Amino acid sequence: MNSEFRCLPSVDRLISEERIRELARNYPHELLVKLVRQQLERERLAIAAGNRCSSIDEMVESITAQLRWLESPSLRPVINATGVILHTNLGRAPLSREAIAAMDAAVRGYSNLEFDLDSGSRGSRQVHIEPILCQLSGAEAALVVNNNASAVLLGLTALARRKEVIVSRGQAVEIGDSFRIPDVMRQSGAKLVEVGTTNRTYISDYEQAITPRTAALMRVHSSNFQVVGFTHSVSIEELVALGQRYSLPVLDDLGSGCFLDTTSFGLAPEPMVQHSVAIGVGLAFFSGDKLLGGPQAGIIVGKKQLIDRLRKHPLARAVRIDKVRLAGLAVTLLHYLKGEALRKIPVWRMISAPLEEIEGRARTWAEALGDLAQVTEGESMIGGGSLPGSTLPTRLVAISGGGRRKGHNIVPALARRLRRNEKCPIIGRISDDALLLDPRSVLPEEDPIVLEALRDLSVDRDSYR
Ligand SMILES: *Cc1c(COP(=O)(O)O)cnc(C)c1O
């Protein structure tokens, strides 16, 4: 036997170490025994692989580090200074104060989620949200599910299983985090019939593809890319007119769920839900947490007779929305109905923030950094698969920290330092020679944390130069 194994302490010996005994006050004995056993097993494997034996101190340190990890939740708030308003990796839309309060109330105790308070009998969770969605979109009926990917899957499964759905080749694409129309189509059991070419599709292409097996015509909003140059695509008006001639519903995957006119903020036009409904699509699908500015959800509005078929499908139960997000979504939608969306919904406050206000905040941030930073002109992005190629002018704080030190780029070190900010990690955008911070995507109430972190960075400037 390898003599190194003899250096391994017993479980009891490690458990009786002073620092472990202190931990025993806050953690169950069984958990500590388990962690000690796992530590000793790792030591055995390491020795067997030819490594030296760790000291008792090192073993204790490793065990306490694991307990510290258990105490600090892995998922934590961060400050989004990237300037990408709907950043999928950073959790998409922050919610309004009222939506947060409604979600809080929904989890505190019980609720009338599926209970009719008048009759005292069972009800549907959809009644809390369907009238608001119908009022807002002009649709006859509405259904809310887990997210937009499951909304589209439910729609295709319930209406087009073992049948054909016609989609433009330029729209049979991958959107954002691996949502691929061809894959969703296959999963639903519907056959994808692609028409046209990547850059050009005409209404006659759709018409020629219609067969007795066709169940629907589909439009997918190409929300995260643009085809420019020699292009032609079919308008939603043309598609609905064709569908009406052949008694086929149009399924409209809008992606973002926009109810406000983006062009009034200098952005490219984003298709609006109420417009699709007014034109007469069969069903429109959209997310709750993109431009809508609410919690994760998949929203379907459209013709009652189609919505009823989705409602009855067994998949509807598998993708149903939970009570917390239902509560937050209802309040978010009410902001639109009350005409207060621009004031209350953070995503829209960020989009409509005056440039002078952003510039003022950027100057305050830059002052905290002294000569490490400058305020520069830049662009904020909408992100989250909305408004490709459309940006908002902004003001950025560019931290160069004096640039390169002996040819070594210090920008990644500055970015890491802000990501490790103890109070709340701050995420910026890295360009070649500067770390860029955009106040537009930072909630104003987070400014004090940013300022404190930037002052600290300024104090420690010499360690970066
Ligand atoms: C984002 C997006 C989806 C997926 O929506 P999730 O809510 O993320 O599931 C589907 N279709 C389009 C066009 C999108 O932009």
Side-chain angles (χ1 to χ4, degrees):
M1 193 177 128
N2 188 333
S3 62
E4 278 284 311
F5 284 111
R6 261 180 260 135
C7 72
L8 286 177
S10 68
V11 172
D12 285 343
R13 165 86 177 74
L14 267 184
I15 288 279
S16 59
E17 270 296 308
E18 178 67 25
R19 282 165 69 197
I20 301 276
R21 279 214 317 271
E22 270 169 36
L23 292 167
R25 273 187 243 132
N26 295 323
Y27 294 97
H29 183 70
E30 302 81 66
L31 175 64
L32 295 176
V33 171
K34 200 154 123 192
L35 290 177
V36 165
R37 288 224 164 96
Q38 285 166 354
Q39 183 64 37
L40 289 172
E41 183 54 30
R42 269 194 299 278
E43 296 292 341
R44 259 181 227 110
L45 289 173
I47 294 167
N51 295 306
R52 66 161 189 89
C53 191
S54 305
S55 69
I56 298 270
D57 258 4
E58 284 167 332
M59 291 182 209
V60 170
E61 179 51 38
S62 165
I63 292 164
T64 50
Q66 283 180 66
L67 285 167
R68 268 201 303 277
W69 181 83
L70 282 177
E71 275 194 332
S72 55
S74 162
L75 180 64
R76 50 187 297 208
V78 304
I79 291 174
N80 173 15
T82 63
V84 181
I85 295 174
L86 295 165
H87 200 303
T88 295
N89 303 143
L90 303 183
R92 290 195 186 157
L95 302 191
S96 76
R97 210 163 343 131
E98 292 80 359
I100 295 164
M103 293 169 90
D104 188 68
V107 276
R108 256 163 215 285
Y110 299 98
S111 64
N112 64 337
L113 180 65
E114 293 185 347
F115 185 76
D116 184 333
L117 290 172
D118 281 333
S119 66
S121 57
R122 187 181 195 287
S124 157
R125 65 181 61 202
Q126 300 289 335
V127 303
H128 305 295
I129 202 147
E130 191 178 10
I132 309 171
L133 275 168
C134 290
Q135 192 65 249
L136 201 55
S137 66
E140 295 168 11
L143 182 67
V144 177
V145 296
N146 178 61
N147 61 356
N148 193 32
S150 58
V152 173
L153 177 65
L154 173 62
L156 289 170
T157 311
L159 304 181
R161 190 174 169 75
R162 299 206 190 89
K163 300 213 184 89
E164 296 172 355
V165 176
I166 304 173
V167 184
S168 159
R169 197 173 300 279
Q171 296 173 5
V173 294
E174 173 166 335
I175 296 150
D177 11 75
S178 66
F179 176 82
R180 287 183 175 179
I181 288 294
D183 292 346
V184 176
M185 205 69 97
R186 204 170 304 121
Q187 197 61 42
S188 73
K191 181 169 178 235
L192 169 67
V193 177
E194 287 181 60
V195 296
T197 58
T198 309
N199 57 337
R200 317 199 98 191
T201 307
Y202 298 91
I203 195 69
S204 55
D205 295 326
Y206 288 87
E207 186 160 13
Q208 279 158 23
I210 294 176
T211 72
R213 297 179 58 77
T214 307
L217 310 174
M218 187 165 186
R219 169 176 83 156
V220 184
H221 179 46
S222 57
S223 50
N224 60 351
F225 68 99
Q226 274 176 315
V227 180
V228 292
F230 188 62
T231 64
H232 186 271
S233 61
V234 171
S235 71
I236 193 71
E237 286 86 351
E238 287 176 282
L239 209 54
V240 168
L242 179 68
Q244 276 160 0
R245 274 201 280 134
Y246 287 86
S247 299
L248 291 171
V250 170
L251 307 182
D252 190 13
D253 180 6
L254 289 166
S256 211
C258 189
F259 281 99
L260 301 177
D261 181 6
T262 48
T263 60
S264 50
F265 306 99
L267 291 165
E270 177 76 8
M272 287 194 277
V273 179
Q274 60 275 46
H275 179 246
S276 287
V277 172
I279 299 299
V281 301
L283 296 175
F285 305 87
F286 52 97
S287 288
D289 55 351
K290 292 189 183 170
L291 276 178
L292 193 74
Q296 181 189 304
I299 303 165
I300 312 163
V301 297
K303 304 264 193 286
K304 179 164 191 314
Q305 164 249 338
L306 299 174
I307 294 273
D308 283 344
R309 284 170 66 189
L310 268 57
R311 234 191 272 283
K312 287 191 205 113
H313 195 278
L315 196 54
R317 172 64 180 79
V319 298
R320 84 175 177 191
I321 185 155
D322 75 282
K323 61 180 180 181
V324 186
R325 290 182 291 137
L326 188 77
L329 186 61
V331 170
T332 304
L333 292 166
L334 283 174
H335 288 318
Y336 289 92
L337 264 189
K338 293 177 180 166
E340 59 186 26
L342 281 185
R343 227 168 1 104
K344 299 273 189 176
I345 299 176
V347 165
W348 285 100
R349 284 180 59 167
M350 290 169 179
I351 290 173
S352 61
L355 194 55
E356 311 83 73
E357 185 188 304
I358 295 175
E359 169 138 17
R361 291 169 68 196
R363 296 222 169 276
T364 315
W365 292 13
E367 273 162 29
L369 284 158
D371 59 0
L372 280 181
Q374 292 151 310
V375 175
T376 66
E377 294 184 2
E379 309 284 333
S380 313
M381 278 158 282
I382 304 299
S386 310
L387 299 163
S390 191
T391 57
L392 291 161
T394 196
R395 292 293 179 267
L396 302 167
V397 175
I399 316 174
S400 60
R404 287 167 184 276
R405 183 179 53 185
K406 298 181 204 134
H408 158 78
N409 188 354
I410 64 164
V411 170
L414 292 169
R416 195 177 323 116
R417 158 107 186 211
L418 287 182
R419 281 203 307 277
R420 290 184 181 165
N421 187 45
E422 196 160 346
K423 212 167 250 174
C424 188
I426 299 168
I427 318 295
R429 204 191 316 163
I430 295 181
S431 80
D432 278 349
D433 39 22
L435 172 62
L436 305 175
L437 304 179
D438 187 342
R440 187 190 292 277
S441 56
V442 175
L443 300 168
E445 58 265 33
E446 294 171 333
D447 273 16
I449 302 175
V450 175
L451 286 173
E452 192 185 321
L454 297 183
R455 278 189 208 108
D456 287 351
L457 199 65
S458 167
V459 168
D460 293 346
R461 64 205 315 129
D462 290 337
S463 56
Y464 292 92
R465 284 212 164 137

